[in-house]
Amino acid sequence: MQDTTVRWHVYGLTHSMVALGLIGLCRFVPLFLCSLLGGAIADAKDRRRILLITQTVMAAGAATLAFLTWKGVISAVSIYAVNALSAGALAFDSPARQSLIPNLVPRKHFSNAASLNSTAVKMATVVGPYLAGSLIQRGNLAVIYGINAASFLAVLIALLCIKPELMERAQGARSPVNLAGLRDGLKFVWSQPIQVWTIALDFTASFFAAAEALMPVFARDILRVNARGYGLLTAASAAGSVGAGSVMAFRRPVVRQGLTMLVAVSVYGCATILFGLSHIFVLSLVALAIAGAADTISSILRQTVRQMGTPDHLRGRMTSINMIFFTGGPQLGNLEAGLVASVAGAPLSVISGGIGCLLAVAWIGSRAAVLRNYRGSESGP
């Protein structure tokens, strides 16, 4: 709900596509600066305690946006600042959270568990944007930020309910927080060709085909729908993700994982091009749903490859290194999309991004035999 509102809010305050792109830059910089340290700390400290701190910081950021909006003193700069703070907290939160998941389920069920987790998140990103659109239509932006701040209580309670014996198993052998530890993480990821190529695939695809920042422009100026329509557009990708994630959660593990990733990202690029070409609201929804489904299939497989191929004591650092690329790609991509859109228009920006995504997949597919032929059994901790 908050992510949907932030983009609408900034565009309403500035009417600038570059300003929309700057949201991505404000998120990328703290992620880039803090991710490696966040991963090292996740491998060295109590992961649940880290999550309790980071979730509290992000809740405070949402409460700040609610207060400033309610008082009528909100500005694009203050929105950028809070987003930067939340991204910095996420740099510590994500490695600890993702590193904890493999300790909560048996190894053989991890792919299914990752699918269920992804489906739960995507269901929230279906309902959230739709509710946000309805509240934006009524002018209740402060209420949206306030709801987000309150929602962090559920996360904090869930963390406190995790069984202590699982937390003890999750800690394993702790690594010191120093340059040698950071170097070990980088060395491990670089020594795994399958991880290097999945990082390259993730970053290039999300950099070129990122279109989230321009969604308010498509809603207001191209498809000419109201805030509820904007909410539906934002939710469409997640709706496709829920369908794909549900199928992945209850089916047998994919055999040709590498080839499936390449095909899924190609479909993602094609669907992005279709969205950029569309001036019909329903067709745009369909294109976004296809893109979301394809992206989810690829991301579930990438997460499985990375987490199952990494020893527990390195998972935090591995996740932080990957996070620079799989989170930085979309954020920098949103900046690129905003800059191109300010010169060539939003549709051409999205279309060219989809083409760039397809070219990147073709290049990686032709160079990375280890990825094309990967079946999921070639690596393990």
Side-chain angles (χ1 to χ4, degrees):
M1 290 178 71
Q2 178 163 304
D3 285 347
T4 302
T5 304
V6 160
R7 290 191 290 268
W8 184 272
H9 206 168
V10 168
Y11 193 58
L13 290 169
T14 64
H15 301 286
S16 167
M17 287 181 277
V18 175
L20 284 172
L22 287 175
I23 297 173
L25 181 63
C26 289
R27 289 173 175 169
F28 172 74
V29 171
L31 279 171
F32 179 78
L33 295 177
C34 300
S35 286
L36 289 178
L37 179 60
I41 290 177
D43 286 334
K45 305 297 181 181
D46 185 328
R47 289 166 180 166
R48 182 168 61 169
R49 184 174 298 175
I50 295 170
L51 292 172
L52 289 169
I53 295 171
T54 56
Q55 294 290 312
T56 301
V57 171
M58 288 188 278
T64 300
L65 288 178
F67 177 75
L68 294 177
T69 304
W70 173 60
K71 296 295 289 183
V73 295
I74 194 77
S75 66
V77 172
S78 57
I79 294 175
Y80 292 151
V82 171
N83 270 267
L85 175 66
S86 296
L90 186 65
F92 295 89
D93 181 277
S94 188
R97 177 164 35 87
Q98 293 193 35
S99 301
L100 189 59
I101 293 173
N103 298 105
L104 305 180
V105 294
R107 177 185 176 88
K108 64 180 180 180
H109 296 310
F110 179 81
S111 178
N112 303 86
S115 300
L116 285 171
N117 187 58
S118 176
T119 301
V121 172
K122 294 302 182 181
M123 285 178 67
T125 51
V126 171
V127 178
Y130 178 75
L131 293 177
S134 299
L135 290 171
I136 291 171
Q137 188 72 23
R138 297 186 178 95
N140 293 328
L141 276 70
V143 172
I144 296 171
Y145 296 136
I147 290 173
N148 186 40
S151 74
F152 282 92
L153 288 173
V155 187
L156 297 174
I157 292 171
L159 287 167
L160 294 173
C161 288
I162 294 177
K163 295 179 180 179
E165 57 266 27
L166 292 177
M167 292 301 302
E168 291 172 5
R169 184 179 64 178
Q171 296 310 311
R174 298 184 178 182
S175 303
V177 181
N178 53 33
L179 289 177
L182 296 176
R183 188 169 57 249
D184 287 343
L186 289 167
K187 183 179 179 180
F188 171 78
V189 171
W190 189 251
S191 70
Q192 305 293 311
I194 186 64
Q195 295 218 29
V196 173
W197 284 114
T198 57
I199 288 173
L201 181 66
D202 201 352
F203 179 81
T204 53
S206 59
F207 176 80
F208 287 114
E212 295 89 353
L214 298 178
M215 213 61 74
V217 181
F218 276 88
R220 284 182 168 183
D221 303 336
I222 297 172
L223 300 172
R224 300 191 181 282
V225 294
N226 57 20
R228 286 193 180 90
Y230 165 65
L232 287 172
L233 282 173
T234 307
S237 177
S241 298
V242 169
S246 300
V247 172
M248 293 284 286
F250 296 103
R251 59 154 289 155
R252 292 181 178 181
V254 176
V255 177
R256 297 293 301 275
Q257 293 185 6
L259 183 61
T260 303
M261 276 187 267
L262 291 169
V263 172
V265 177
S266 298
V267 173
Y268 174 70
C270 291
T272 300
I273 294 172
L274 178 60
F275 173 70
L277 291 169
S278 173
H279 285 70
I280 303 171
F281 182 62
V282 174
L283 181 59
S284 297
L285 292 176
V286 171
L288 289 170
I290 294 172
D295 183 52
T296 292
I297 292 171
S298 176
S299 64
I300 288 171
L301 294 175
R302 291 194 304 266
Q303 184 181 5
T304 302
V305 169
R306 293 164 182 168
Q307 295 291 350
M308 292 297 94
T310 305
D312 183 67
H313 70 281
L314 285 168
R315 282 200 181 111
R317 281 164 286 180
M318 179 278 297
T319 300
S320 68
I321 293 166
N322 278 276
M323 188 171 67
I324 294 175
F325 297 95
F326 74 70
T327 304
Q331 303 305 337
L332 289 178
N334 283 329
L335 175 62
E336 178 267 342
L339 293 173
V340 173
S342 67
V343 176
L348 186 58
S349 174
V350 172
I351 294 168
S352 62
I355 294 172
C357 174
L358 293 177
L359 293 174
V361 173
W363 182 80
I364 291 172
S366 67
R367 296 289 302 273
V370 66
L371 179 59
R372 288 198 312 272
N373 300 323
Y374 186 78
R375 291 176 175 267
S377 58
E378 290 86 342
S379 65

